[in-house]
Amino acid sequence: MKALRLGTAVESTFQGSGGNGMVPSPRLLAPNGGEARSAATHHREEGGNNGGGPVPVPGLTALRPTKPPRGGKKLFAVPAGNKARRREEPIWRRLVVFLSVALNIGLLLNLCCVNSTTAPPHHNDRQAEHQVCSLMNLDAAGSGSSGVGRSRASQAEEEEPVPKLAAAMAPSTGKPAVTPDSVINLDHGDPTMFEEFWQGTGSAAEIVIPGWQTMSYFSDVGNVCWFLEPGFDLEVRRLHRLVGNAAVDDGYHVLVGTGSTQLFMAALYALSPGAGAPMSVVSTAPYYSSYPAVTDFLQSGLFRWAGDASSFKGDTYIELVCSPNNPDGAIREAVLSSKSGIAVHDLAYYWPQYTAITRRADHDIMLFTVSKSTGHAGTRIGWALVKDRDVAKKMTKFIELNTIGVSKDSQLRAAKVLRVVSDAYELPEEGREAHRLFDYGRRKMAERWSMLREAATTSGIFSLPEETSGYCNFAKETAATNPAFAWLRCDREDVEDCASFLRGHKILTRSGRQFGADPRYVRVSMLDRDDAYDIFVKRLSSLR
Amino acid sequence: MKALRLGTAVESTFQGSGGNGMVPSPRLLAPNGGEARSAATHHREEGGNNGGGPVPVPGLTALRPTKPPRGGKKLFAVPAGNKARRREEPIWRRLVVFLSVALNIGLLLNLCCVNSTTAPPHHNDRQAEHQVCSLMNLDAAGSGSSGVGRSRASQAEEEEPVPKLAAAMAPSTGKPAVTPDSVINLDHGDPTMFEEFWQGTGSAAEIVIPGWQTMSYFSDVGNVCWFLEPGFDLEVRRLHRLVGNAAVDDGYHVLVGTGSTQLFMAALYALSPGAGAPMSVVSTAPYYSSYPAVTDFLQSGLFRWAGDASSFKGDTYIELVCSPNNPDGAIREAVLSSKSGIAVHDLAYYWPQYTAITRRADHDIMLFTVSKSTGHAGTRIGWALVKDRDVAKKMTKFIELNTIGVSKDSQLRAAKVLRVVSDAYELPEEGREAHRLFDYGRRKMAERWSMLREAATTSGIFSLPEETSGYCNFAKETAATNPAFAWLRCDREDVEDCASFLRGHKILTRSGRQFGADPRYVRVSMLDRDDAYDIFVKRLSSLR
């Protein structure tokens, strides 16, 4: 019975707190320091002790306070049957959770001293590492970012030999938990906000992979994309039919990639002629900062970055059209129209939680990813819908040469996750309506945007894009646009570099400069966990 | 009770037959045609009906004959407790197996007509596709290879819309099952031979991934390789310490990649100066056919293929040292020694099943992959051991720009699989000795090599590299080298192109030309399933 209570109590910490399994020490839950008190605290008034007063730590079964729903509004209902199921979890699972907690307690003791920028770095080159990351500014350059600590494993790597008979190690949990004094890193679009939703689905989206399964390189030897799991293909098409955001019939090929970044490179490879001058790759500013970086890092003779599409002169090009746009959420169409130009549509954010689904997109090449649709960035699964068979074959060839296919484990997991999303809308069963991803996502994003707009107003020195809306064919109602990133402008006359200004207040964002735009702008991820997002909003609203 | 018997019967087909779950029709189990009868059949005399006489198909519970251990020698013992566990499998698993069988029966009906080169292709461009694959000759260019059929899913993609409310689809099973008349595709090093071993480990290597787990991009924010799962890092180091094939202490960094191919590209990126002329990339012929293809396919300005290392003139280069060498199994060392040259050691095959472990390798950059060590090619997990921190950081940066990290699901699975391998040697428990991967692999490879050498002798027109041996520090005895590929030479004077000659006999191999060598040689995979390997050997021995 003790084990049972332990498991239940520990798992409940995932339900309410952003879910990385970190156990806060009493010190970390102490009252806010000077700069964190702010007008934004009223968002929390009904919510209880988030970022608020000290919380007692009486024992292991109550290590972490369970957090009541935000602002008294029931964001996400867990049916009673679900809770019962959780209580019946097998012993091994409780053991894993226990091990995880034990590891994290150790980890936390390590982190306390590095969890703020003022703490001494563990290595002399930590600062240098951070600079490298910031230079590239990709969506996942987390190594050595200030404010994030080192795990026990990585310390062991350099400081002490790992014991020969090692115990099983728990899966990773992403960035460490934050406190009101932490540096808040919203530079990357890490979609950990969605963890809460998937915790709520219980075991529905769980997968089991036997040791002998999918060992072959091949998944579907007759398919153009021979490494595509048929089940993933099926669920991708099914979800698009359900949501109505993209055409999948009439000969569209589904290709799978190691994230949509690999598919983006595959498209450049497939669309470049291969002879003569490199193909010009363009996109309208502000454009996703990865586009120039990924296009040029290998100095390919096939293609090269040619900058802002709106000032491009030439007939032959690949135009990247990101809609809704990263970083500013704008709905976009191709701006160039030469017959020898080709558009690649990056529709990573064209899902009902971010924008109204106003039409079924039917472009030649459309890119999607589970990172932004369901929040499973760690699986590294993206997909492309491709009309032309020869282009699909060349893109497949790229992935074959680059990584000889794509993880089948993650394809199977992505298939399962997509299936659970579709099932919740298509298959009637008690409790399923409570686990509707797009409903959850829309509510959550709308709430976050409302908090952010209020914080900007309170502060008085920031402005945000106007809210737009449209009739959503999926939701069957008018829906506001709630982008996955905030394109924030600092209006204070003496601030020319908004990212530096915010960094001075321990908020890491990505400078507008990285997107080919004015450095008075920054891009801020809206998809982090509640704890980090709450501290960010509170801190932002206090700035003058 | 019926479901129970069905599940047991169907799963037992995995134990004895190469394990792709395909159910042969009576026609497929008919007596051999003319070319398949051969002197090599004596390998089977004690083994019963493999490739032999007709087998009755009385009903679903006896759809497939269980195959006795090869040649009367007990290759792999399944402890009694294991069988009992299998009988207690949960209902859902039996359901999945049942669905899989149902799908496969459908699939098989489709395949019958395309499972030989003489059958009409489903698409006009099937031939063209095959040519593209053969040109590139990568280790997984399976698309459209003749002799492999199209699955129901891929047909649905183009011929009929997928039903909106789709049932769960079973995971893929790799290349379809073969019959004595099939084209046998040994062009790729698909390591499905190892399925049998992992089936024998039961649930030990199974992993369960909850829907909410490892959703973040980040795994270990303090590590140089920030997307590396600490548990994978741990098990990689543990296994190398156990086997003694590579140094992992004294500051080595473990980096994870989407297969070792991605790490190979990462190494080229990290070691190239980035300014001036592209870095020359060389390797002694015969060299792995992927090296030139992967080096040059993006026409990078950073590096370019410069051919055979032994004829290279220059001081600045990256030398690829594959040991044991793909394709010929030779033990290799760097042949160039300029101070401004750098070696990358590809040690994919430096494991006890293939060769004696004679020393603990401690090179600057060493590449490994689960594809060849444990047979899990479908996970796409490779790793690099890297001495220099800056090189490790640049390699990590490559993977960040290329795919923003590596599937965490597959890292967790690989960690589990490696753990099971180490546990079998390090943790005493009843039955564990029966599941020792390297013991199994050595026995299996030795048997296959013996069969192949006998077939070559019987035929009289082929020659193979001499068998070598050495004292293995891991096995603590002298062990023969049993390479993962056979480097087969056709000695018949009128045969100038061995790959074409074999293709004429429905055996697909990779031409020596692809490895920078004489086309009288071919590379033949030794790691396919028993059924395919047996037919290959039998057919080879019949050639005159």
Side-chain angles (χ1 to χ4, degrees):
Chain A
M1 192 54 201
K2 196 170 179 183
L4 187 68
R5 283 176 56 216
L6 175 63
T8 311
V10 172
E11 232 183 350
S12 76
T13 67
F14 282 102
Q15 291 292 334
S17 64
N20 76 352
M22 299 286 301
V23 181
S25 75
R27 191 185 76 78
L28 300 181
L29 286 167
N32 297 344
E35 76 172 38
R37 69 177 171 275
S38 77
T41 48
H42 74 270
H43 274 288
R44 278 284 155 272
E45 276 164 13
E46 294 156 285
N49 53 33
N50 250 62
V55 171
V57 183
L60 205 50
T61 55
L63 263 173
R64 184 149 198 161
T66 51
K67 194 170 79 179
R70 190 190 285 279
K73 193 163 127 197
K74 201 159 187 182
L75 266 177
F76 191 78
V78 180
N82 223 24
K83 283 177 193 155
R85 205 183 317 138
R86 216 165 298 128
R87 249 175 239 119
E88 288 158 25
E89 304 246 299
I91 295 284
W92 67 263
R93 199 154 176 190
R94 275 175 225 130
L95 266 173
V96 168
V97 172
F98 177 77
L99 264 173
S100 166
V101 170
L103 274 167
N104 280 320
I105 289 173
L107 176 57
L108 194 81
L109 296 175
N110 266 315
L111 287 179
C112 290
C113 64
V114 293
N115 214 5
S116 87
T117 41
T118 52
H122 266 245
H123 289 284
N124 294 337
D125 51 2
R126 185 143 302 278
Q127 198 67 29
E129 255 181 55
H130 176 54
Q131 280 161 3
V132 171
C133 294
S134 301
L135 276 174
M136 293 317 289
N137 260 332
L138 263 194
D139 252 15
S143 168
S145 291
S146 45
V148 285
R150 310 183 65 232
S151 83
R152 183 170 287 284
S154 72
Q155 288 200 339
E157 179 194 343
E158 285 152 47
E159 286 158 27
E160 58 191 51
V162 179
K164 198 173 176 187
L165 293 184
M169 188 169 269
S172 66
T173 54
K175 290 182 291 183
V178 291
T179 72
D181 295 328
S182 294
V183 169
I184 301 298
N185 187 346
L186 301 175
D187 180 21
H188 319 105
D190 204 26
T192 41
M193 179 188 89
F194 292 100
E195 285 170 344
E196 183 189 50
F197 173 82
W198 292 105
Q199 284 150 16
T201 62
S203 61
E206 183 175 284
I207 57 160
V208 179
I209 307 181
W212 44 263
Q213 192 183 277
T214 49
M215 293 180 65
S216 172
Y217 286 106
F218 300 98
S219 289
D220 188 358
V221 289
N223 199 318
V224 166
C225 188
W226 52 265
F227 46 80
L228 172 66
E229 281 293 306
F232 179 68
D233 183 345
L234 201 81
E235 295 297 344
V236 160
R237 292 175 194 267
R238 179 183 173 208
L239 185 63
H240 282 303
R241 286 192 195 98
L242 167 72
V243 173
N245 58 342
V248 287
D249 301 312
D250 305 321
Y252 269 101
H253 299 270
V254 172
L255 309 182
V256 65
T258 310
S260 61
T261 303
Q262 188 179 35
L263 289 161
F264 163 66
M265 288 188 77
L268 300 189
Y269 173 78
L271 299 175
S272 298
M279 189 76 154
S280 295
V281 180
V282 299
S283 188
T284 304
Y287 43 72
Y288 179 28
S289 50
S290 273
Y291 292 159
V294 172
T295 303
D296 281 347
F297 79 114
L298 284 173
Q299 301 180 18
S300 173
L302 300 178
F303 43 78
R304 71 165 162 222
W305 180 250
D308 191 343
S310 56
S311 56
F312 177 74
K313 308 282 176 227
D315 287 331
T316 311
Y317 57 82
I318 297 169
E319 181 181 356
L320 307 167
V321 183
C322 186
S323 181
N325 189 43
N326 175 358
D328 65 356
I331 302 301
R332 286 248 179 116
E333 296 199 0
V335 301
L336 302 176
S337 56
S338 158
K339 273 186 185 165
S340 33
I342 314 164
V344 173
H345 283 76
D346 179 349
L347 303 185
Y349 303 95
Y350 190 42
W351 294 100
Q353 63 267 50
Y354 305 121
T355 190
I357 304 302
T358 54
R359 63 179 289 259
R360 188 182 308 272
D362 57 356
H363 310 289
D364 290 344
I365 302 179
M366 300 181 276
L367 306 182
F368 293 90
T369 165
V370 289
S371 300
K372 308 309 179 198
S373 52
T374 71
H376 289 85
T379 64
R380 311 307 312 118
I381 291 292
W383 68 93
L385 304 177
V386 180
K387 242 182 204 167
D388 184 81
R389 187 177 170 87
D390 288 329
V391 171
K393 280 162 70 175
K394 275 199 83 176
M395 288 177 72
T396 299
K397 179 55 77 178
F398 173 90
I399 295 173
E400 178 186 317
L401 286 159
N402 186 195
T403 55
I404 320 187
V406 174
S407 160
K408 303 202 193 309
D409 311 307
S410 285
Q411 289 189 60
L412 295 173
R413 185 173 182 205
K416 184 69 175 280
V417 159
L418 297 186
R419 193 175 145 218
V420 169
V421 173
S422 293
D423 280 354
Y425 290 95
E426 292 188 338
L427 301 183
E429 190 184 291
E430 205 187 329
R432 277 227 169 94
E433 320 76 60
H435 300 292
R436 291 186 157 169
L437 176 73
F438 303 122
D439 296 30
Y440 167 87
R442 276 183 69 197
R443 281 197 303 269
K444 195 89 181 167
M445 294 306 294
E447 192 198 35
R448 288 191 168 194
W449 269 95
S450 152
M451 286 167 71
L452 180 61
R453 290 188 189 281
E454 201 162 330
T457 304
T458 305
S459 160
I461 63 166
F462 296 105
S463 54
L464 287 161
E466 287 289 306
E467 185 178 283
T468 59
S469 64
Y471 183 79
C472 179
N473 297 330
F474 174 73
K476 308 284 182 215
E477 61 183 22
T478 299
T481 296
N482 296 305
F485 293 104
W487 187 235
L488 188 74
R489 186 183 191 282
C490 184
D491 299 328
R492 230 172 76 171
E493 293 250 329
D494 61 335
V495 174
E496 288 180 4
D497 184 331
C498 183
S500 296
F501 173 69
L502 290 175
R503 195 179 302 120
H505 294 278
K506 299 201 282 187
I507 299 170
L508 303 184
T509 59
R510 193 167 297 184
S511 169
R513 198 179 282 116
Q514 306 287 334
F515 303 90
D518 189 338
R520 283 189 170 81
Y521 285 89
V522 291
R523 190 194 75 167
V524 185
S525 169
M526 296 290 284
L527 303 182
D528 218 290
R529 295 180 181 123
D530 278 351
D531 53 359
Y533 189 77
D534 291 348
I535 295 168
F536 156 66
V537 167
K538 193 178 284 187
R539 207 175 283 171
L540 194 81
S541 69
S542 73
L543 301 181
R544 295 292 178 268
Chain B
M1 192 56 204
K2 195 170 179 181
L4 187 69
R5 282 175 57 214
L6 175 63
T8 312
V10 172
E11 234 183 347
S12 76
T13 68
F14 281 100
Q15 292 292 334
S17 65
N20 77 352
M22 298 287 301
V23 181
S25 75
R27 192 184 76 78
L28 301 183
L29 286 167
N32 298 345
E35 76 174 35
R37 71 176 169 276
S38 77
T41 48
H42 76 271
H43 273 288
R44 276 285 154 274
E45 274 163 13
E46 295 156 286
N49 53 34
N50 249 62
V55 172
V57 183
L60 205 51
T61 55
L63 264 173
R64 183 146 197 165
T66 51
K67 195 171 77 178
R70 189 191 285 280
K73 194 164 126 197
K74 200 160 189 182
L75 265 178
F76 192 77
V78 180
N82 222 23
K83 283 177 193 156
R85 203 184 315 137
R86 213 165 301 126
R87 246 174 242 120
E88 288 158 26
E89 304 244 300
I91 295 284
W92 67 263
R93 201 154 176 190
R94 274 175 226 129
L95 268 172
V96 168
V97 172
F98 177 76
L99 265 171
S100 165
V101 171
L103 275 166
N104 280 320
I105 289 173
L107 177 56
L108 193 80
L109 295 176
N110 265 315
L111 287 180
C112 289
C113 64
V114 292
N115 214 6
S116 87
T117 41
T118 52
H122 265 245
H123 290 283
N124 293 338
D125 50 2
R126 185 145 302 278
Q127 199 66 29
E129 254 179 55
H130 176 54
Q131 280 160 3
V132 171
C133 295
S134 300
L135 275 175
M136 295 314 291
N137 259 332
L138 261 195
D139 253 15
S143 167
S145 289
S146 46
V148 287
R150 311 183 65 234
S151 82
R152 182 169 286 287
S154 72
Q155 289 201 340
E157 178 194 345
E158 285 153 46
E159 286 158 27
E160 57 192 49
V162 179
K164 199 174 177 184
L165 293 185
M169 188 169 269
S172 66
T173 55
K175 290 181 292 185
V178 291
T179 71
D181 297 327
S182 295
V183 169
I184 301 299
N185 188 346
L186 300 176
D187 180 20
H188 319 104
D190 203 26
T192 41
M193 178 189 89
F194 292 99
E195 286 170 344
E196 184 189 51
F197 173 82
W198 291 104
Q199 285 149 16
T201 63
S203 61
E206 183 175 285
I207 58 160
V208 179
I209 307 181
W212 44 264
Q213 192 182 276
T214 50
M215 294 180 64
S216 172
Y217 286 106
F218 300 97
S219 289
D220 188 358
V221 290
N223 200 318
V224 165
C225 188
W226 51 266
F227 46 78
L228 172 66
E229 281 293 305
F232 179 68
D233 183 344
L234 201 80
E235 294 297 344
V236 160
R237 292 174 193 269
R238 181 184 171 206
L239 186 63
H240 282 303
R241 285 191 195 99
L242 167 71
V243 173
N245 58 342
V248 288
D249 301 310
D250 305 321
Y252 269 101
H253 299 271
V254 172
L255 310 181
V256 65
T258 310
S260 61
T261 303
Q262 188 179 36
L263 289 161
F264 163 67
M265 289 189 76
L268 299 189
Y269 173 77
L271 299 175
S272 298
M279 189 75 153
S280 295
V281 180
V282 298
S283 189
T284 304
Y287 41 71
Y288 178 27
S289 50
S290 272
Y291 292 158
V294 172
T295 304
D296 281 347
F297 79 113
L298 284 173
Q299 300 179 16
S300 173
L302 302 177
F303 43 77
R304 73 165 160 222
W305 180 249
D308 191 344
S310 56
S311 57
F312 177 73
K313 307 283 175 223
D315 287 331
T316 311
Y317 57 83
I318 297 169
E319 180 181 355
L320 307 167
V321 183
C322 186
S323 181
N325 189 44
N326 175 356
D328 65 355
I331 302 301
R332 287 247 179 119
E333 297 199 0
V335 300
L336 301 176
S337 57
S338 157
K339 274 187 183 161
S340 31
I342 314 164
V344 173
H345 283 77
D346 179 348
L347 304 185
Y349 304 94
Y350 191 42
W351 293 100
Q353 63 267 49
Y354 305 121
T355 190
I357 304 302
T358 54
R359 63 179 289 258
R360 188 184 308 273
D362 58 355
H363 309 289
D364 290 345
I365 302 179
M366 299 181 276
L367 306 181
F368 294 90
T369 165
V370 290
S371 300
K372 308 308 179 199
S373 53
T374 71
H376 289 85
T379 64
R380 311 308 310 118
I381 292 292
W383 68 93
L385 304 177
V386 180
K387 242 182 203 166
D388 185 81
R389 188 177 169 88
D390 289 329
V391 171
K393 280 161 70 174
K394 274 198 84 177
M395 288 178 71
T396 299
K397 178 57 73 179
F398 173 90
I399 294 173
E400 177 186 317
L401 286 159
N402 186 194
T403 55
I404 319 188
V406 174
S407 160
K408 302 201 192 309
D409 311 308
S410 285
Q411 288 189 62
L412 294 174
R413 184 173 182 206
K416 183 69 174 279
V417 159
L418 297 187
R419 195 177 143 217
V420 169
V421 173
S422 294
D423 280 356
Y425 289 95
E426 293 187 337
L427 301 183
E429 192 185 290
E430 206 187 329
R432 276 226 169 97
E433 320 76 60
H435 300 292
R436 291 185 157 169
L437 177 72
F438 303 121
D439 296 29
Y440 167 87
R442 276 182 70 197
R443 280 198 303 268
K444 195 89 181 167
M445 294 305 294
E447 192 198 36
R448 288 191 168 193
W449 269 96
S450 153
M451 287 167 70
L452 180 62
R453 289 187 189 281
E454 202 163 329
T457 305
T458 304
S459 161
I461 63 165
F462 296 105
S463 53
L464 288 161
E466 287 289 304
E467 186 179 282
T468 58
S469 64
Y471 183 81
C472 179
N473 297 331
F474 175 72
K476 308 285 183 214
E477 62 183 22
T478 300
T481 296
N482 296 305
F485 295 104
W487 187 235
L488 188 74
R489 186 184 190 280
C490 185
D491 299 328
R492 230 172 76 171
E493 293 248 329
D494 61 334
V495 175
E496 288 180 4
D497 184 332
C498 184
S500 296
F501 173 69
L502 290 174
R503 195 179 302 120
H505 294 278
K506 299 202 281 188
I507 299 170
L508 303 184
T509 59
R510 194 167 298 183
S511 169
R513 198 180 282 115
Q514 305 289 332
F515 303 90
D518 188 339
R520 282 190 172 82
Y521 285 89
V522 292
R523 190 194 74 169
V524 185
S525 169
M526 296 291 284
L527 303 182
D528 218 290
R529 295 180 182 123
D530 278 351
D531 52 0
Y533 188 77
D534 291 348
I535 295 168
F536 155 67
V537 167
K538 193 177 285 186
R539 206 174 286 170
L540 194 81
S541 68
S542 73
L543 301 181
R544 295 291 178 265

